[in-house]
Amino acid sequence: MKKGKRKANELVIAGSVDHPSHGHDGTGTVLSEEALSVTSDPSSSVVYMAESQHSEQYPAIEWNETDVTFDIPASYLLDSGLNFPADGLVLYVRDEFKKQFGFLEEVMTQNKLGIILGSPGCGKSSCAFAFMTSQLDAGWVFTWVHLETTEILCVRFEQNSKSIFTCTLLDLDNFRTFLTTASPDKRHFVLLDGYRDGEEKHSTVSMVCEGWLGECRTERRLCKMCSMACRAKYNMDEETRKKVKPVYIDSWILDEFRAAFACTKIFDRFKKNLDSGLAIDGQTREDLTKEDLIMAKYYFAGTCARYMFAYTSEAVISNITDSISACSDILPYLEGSVGEHAVYTINRLISTKTINERGRLRRENSLVSRFAASELALKFGPDLVKR
């Protein structure tokens, strides 16, 4: 999997020439400061682009609700912070995907401040990026903002062109300036990805984005994709005034994975990671059915689509065991008495779904997979089961 990231002093403009230092095969041209009109601040490792006439065209990706998959070329994804194969992303369109599309349309048309929540790996970010690419002919400027540990990665689509901006989480003045550099005669939608409540630097970036939104609410939109399953404490009156609208995206269920792998394009693309039952005592199994492969991987990956599609069983096991080693007590997270937003590592162990009880919706937390449950039982012993 490639990660959409490039050095801060380099700028992607076109999508035709390879740059070997980043290992991409024909997905982007790297142009230096000497080749473009850019502003650079060496003290903060900031580069952003002035006008360029060398941009590749990035038209809207056509899609309708009857399509089983949504395909995003790698050239669109480069520098987004999202992980993707060299030939781009193929996303399975489940009901929660359609629900998130509808939510983002509502944010655009009804002038809401959107917040998308859900457990890590449920597909919030990739769906939001897909929505953005489907709207590139709608007359809007779209800016994708991805928060990493120390950096802010930005991708802007404007008039079928793409520009890149990168700065540190501490360099908010330049980030604020970048948000305001879009065409003044265009409406502007910012999608803030990877946001985690409770992290001071993330909260500061969020405040900058909300300040930018408040300066021209009629022409600007903002939606946050949160790397957590639930929200921190919030003020209802304040949120009403700000027109905040949240949506919760459920984790995947087994039948959704079965439906996804029934699609030949999905199965052929990801079958290499359905590897959990392929070898027993060193002997390769050739007699496993598709259902056998899905069920074997589901034991480890559980409800996390990222685990099921994008990673090998070995990588999933490593990630889950690392999360368990950082966990001193899982029960408060399952009960909801400790906000999942506080510890992202532990949040990876949590699966969430919406329960309808006689017309009343509530959120329910559980463990991401049977493997995670088994490992936690081994760590905490009978006391966990009793509690």
Side-chain angles (χ1 to χ4, degrees), residues 189-209:
F189 196 162
V190 169
L191 297 102
L192 179 62
D193 180 52
Y195 172 72
R196 293 198 286 271
D197 244 342
E199 292 199 14
E200 182 179 355
K201 293 177 181 178
H202 284 206
S203 296
T204 305
V205 173
S206 177
M207 289 174 61
V208 170
C209 291

Side-chain angles (χ1 to χ4, degrees), residues 127-313:
C127 180
F129 198 92
F131 173 82
M132 177 179 68
T133 61
S134 74
Q135 301 294 314
L136 297 183
D137 60 354
W140 288 65
V141 176
F142 288 90
T143 298
W144 175 266
V145 180
H146 176 78
L147 301 181
E148 298 217 320
T149 304
T150 60
E151 288 184 308
I152 306 173
L153 308 179
C154 302
V155 175
R156 175 171 292 162
F157 293 98
E158 182 175 5
Q159 297 176 343
N160 287 335
S161 66
K162 175 182 174 182
S163 57
I164 310 300
F165 170 85
T166 304
C167 70
T168 70
L169 282 169
L170 299 176
D171 195 358
L172 297 180
D173 287 341
N174 278 288
F175 174 64
R176 187 181 292 107
T177 299
F178 173 74
L179 289 180
T180 62
T181 57
S183 298
D185 59 335
K186 299 284 187 180
R187 290 178 293 177
H188 191 176
F189 196 162
V190 169
L191 297 102
L192 179 62
D193 180 52
Y195 172 72
R196 293 198 286 271
D197 244 342
E199 292 199 14
E200 182 179 355
K201 293 177 181 178
H202 284 206
S203 296
T204 305
V205 173
S206 177
M207 289 174 61
V208 170
C209 291
E210 289 193 26
W212 165 85
L213 176 69
E215 291 172 359
C216 187
R217 190 66 190 255
T218 57
E219 301 299 316
R220 296 174 179 177
R221 302 290 186 271
L222 173 65
C223 185
K224 307 176 191 178
M225 281 70 70
C226 303
S227 298
M228 53 203 182
C230 74
R231 304 182 65 188
K233 294 180 180 179
Y234 59 91
N235 184 297
M236 185 176 296
D237 292 337
E238 180 182 357
E239 300 231 322
T240 300
R241 176 175 55 81
K242 290 182 176 180
K243 298 182 180 179
V244 174
K245 184 176 180 62
V247 68
Y248 294 88
I249 303 301
D250 286 352
S251 301
W252 285 57
I253 61 174
L254 179 57
D255 282 346
E256 289 176 326
F257 287 125
R258 286 173 171 150
F261 284 115
C263 171
T264 301
K265 181 190 290 188
I266 295 287
F267 181 71
D268 289 345
R269 191 177 185 86
F270 298 108
K271 64 182 178 182
K272 64 181 182 298
N273 289 330
L274 296 178
D275 58 351
S276 303
L278 293 181
I280 298 178
D281 296 329
Q283 300 297 313
T284 301
R285 296 285 302 275
E286 301 290 349
D287 59 338
L288 297 177
T289 65
K290 182 186 293 186
E291 177 70 8
D292 293 332
L293 295 173
I294 293 171
M295 291 303 298
K297 182 64 178 291
Y298 187 72
Y299 173 79
F300 296 101
T303 61
C304 178
R306 183 181 299 149
Y307 287 162
M308 179 64 86
F309 294 114
Y311 293 102
T312 64
S313 297

Side-chain angles (χ1 to χ4, degrees), residues 316-360:
V316 172
I317 291 168
S318 175
N319 193 269
I320 289 177
T321 53
D322 286 347
S323 296
I324 290 173
S325 67
C327 179
S328 59
D329 188 359
I330 194 66
L331 198 59
Y333 295 88
L334 293 174
E335 293 175 336
S337 56
V338 175
E340 290 94 323
H341 62 276
V343 186
Y344 177 68
T345 302
I346 298 175
N347 197 29
R348 294 190 304 225
L349 300 173
I350 304 299
S351 170
T352 59
K353 62 180 178 179
T354 303
I355 305 295
N356 190 332
E357 292 182 339
R358 288 177 284 185
R360 178 178 175 271

